[in-house]
Amino acid sequence: MFFWAVVLIVVAGLAWIRLAPSDPAAWHVDPKVTADQDLAGGVRRRIPATEGTFATLDRIILATPRTEVLTGSVEEGKVTYVTRSQWMGFPDYTTVMKNEDVLELFARLRFGQSDMGVNKARVDGWLDRLGG
């Protein structure tokens, strides 16, 4: 009986991670990036932006598997994306905002304390593709 209770709790927890609603008010926030930072649960980046940089980055981001727009648009100057991990469906949120001639990116996890460098690798990969 105890075994089945534990299994049920684990399955319920995994279902919550996969199905929990994403509140745009909580995640579609100003990145407030003053400098590049590598954080335990994410990353902040600032890059120079010319006309079309945001639109190109948007296409790169949306080409990433399991990534979709939570809210916002390039035309509005701010977009928040959700990218889910392949197996467990853990959501990571990335907000990109145009601030004059700079794009500010803030990628962070929703569940846990550390993303083990996943957001850093993803964002740096996007920026490598943007620059190349």
Side-chain angles (χ1 to χ4, degrees):
M1 185 68 159
F2 176 74
F3 171 77
W4 292 112
V6 170
V7 169
L8 181 62
I9 290 169
V10 169
V11 169
L14 293 175
W16 173 251
I17 288 168
R18 175 72 69 175
L19 302 172
S22 296
D23 179 8
W27 297 103
H28 192 58
V29 296
D30 184 336
K32 297 181 182 177
V33 180
T34 56
D36 288 356
Q37 293 178 296
D38 296 339
L39 310 166
V43 66
R44 285 188 164 103
R45 295 288 185 261
R46 285 176 58 92
I47 63 165
T50 59
E51 188 68 34
T53 302
F54 198 166
T56 302
L57 182 59
D58 179 66
R59 286 191 295 278
I60 291 168
I61 292 171
L62 290 175
T64 304
R66 299 170 309 282
T67 300
E68 60 187 23
V69 171
L70 174 64
T71 191
S73 70
V74 173
E75 293 75 24
E76 292 173 23
K78 184 166 70 169
V79 183
T80 297
Y81 307 88
V82 180
T83 304
R84 291 191 174 270
S85 64
Q86 184 171 5
W87 300 108
M88 303 298 284
F90 283 96
D92 290 329
Y93 298 90
T94 304
T95 301
V96 180
M97 187 173 85
K98 183 145 174 42
N99 188 354
E100 296 178 17
D101 60 348
V102 173
L103 285 182
E104 299 178 356
L105 293 85
F106 180 31
R108 63 266 190 216
L109 56 72
R110 175 171 180 176
F111 298 106
Q113 299 297 317
S114 172
D115 69 358
M116 298 171 30
V118 170
N119 281 300
K120 178 183 183 327
R122 183 183 308 115
V123 169
D124 289 347
W126 290 339
L127 297 180
D128 287 346
R129 279 180 255 146
L130 181 66

